[in-house]
Amino acid sequence: MPTALVHLMDAWSSIYGNSASLRTLVGFAHVGALVTGGGAAIVADRATLVAGRADAAGRARHLAEFQRTHRLVVLSLGVLLISGVLLLAADFETYVGSRVFWTKMALIGALFVNGALLVRAGHAADHGSPVAWSRLRRGAIASLALWTLTTLLGAALPNI
């Protein structure tokens, strides 16, 4: 690892470790973004599962709300990413060697890919694709599982 990066992480770790306010702020940003973005995604996923059985007007209303929800989820994922990098940098040696951490990172990658596929399926459904709702259903189920597992591993990470 480049020496400048090591020094930067050491400095951050020292600042972070010596400031209860900073630890609280970064922790809140991480958990708050998880609750906001993950919660919105879970609500949208559940609504997608229900909307798949609705009439055309109900599906159209859902797709409009689905697209608005996506913006909030993406913003929350950005906050999660930034706060997560700050948490990683504060205790790099612990996390970099953790299988739980790397499993969580793989699930987060899967969450991003699944989110992109959901958006794509949403656009296809909006344009009348007959297979789009089955893709939306599968994506919503995957999203529910990924958010739940990622949250579980995040809770386990400081304890393992």
Side-chain angles (χ1 to χ4, degrees):
M1 183 176 319
T3 305
L5 186 56
V6 170
H7 290 306
L8 183 63
M9 286 193 311
D10 285 345
W12 169 250
S13 182
S14 177
I15 293 166
Y16 180 84
N18 290 311
S19 173
S21 298
L22 193 54
R23 288 191 310 274
T24 300
L25 181 64
V26 172
F28 174 73
H30 203 68
V31 173
L34 173 65
V35 169
T36 303
I42 287 169
V43 169
D45 293 334
R46 185 185 177 288
T48 297
L49 296 174
V50 171
R53 295 183 296 269
D55 61 10
R59 285 182 175 194
R61 280 190 304 276
H62 171 70
L63 289 172
E65 183 60 30
F66 178 82
Q67 290 170 354
R68 285 190 295 277
T69 300
H70 179 72
R71 291 182 203 111
L72 175 63
V73 172
V74 169
L75 177 64
S76 296
L77 284 171
V79 173
L80 277 167
L81 178 65
I82 292 166
S83 60
V85 167
L86 293 173
L87 291 167
L88 170 64
D91 198 4
F92 184 76
E93 293 300 320
T94 298
Y95 293 128
V96 76
S98 169
R99 277 190 252 169
V100 172
F101 173 79
W102 289 111
T103 303
K104 180 182 173 190
M105 294 303 104
L107 289 174
I108 290 169
L111 197 58
F112 274 98
V113 170
N114 189 65
L117 292 172
L118 274 167
V119 168
R120 190 176 183 190
H123 288 305
D126 211 17
H127 291 93
S129 169
V131 297
W133 279 97
S134 64
R135 289 184 189 145
L136 277 169
R137 179 178 168 70
R138 285 192 307 271
I141 292 168
S143 177
L144 288 165
L146 288 166
W147 279 105
T148 301
L149 291 171
T150 301
T151 302
L152 172 63
L153 291 179
L157 196 53
N159 303 312
I160 297 177

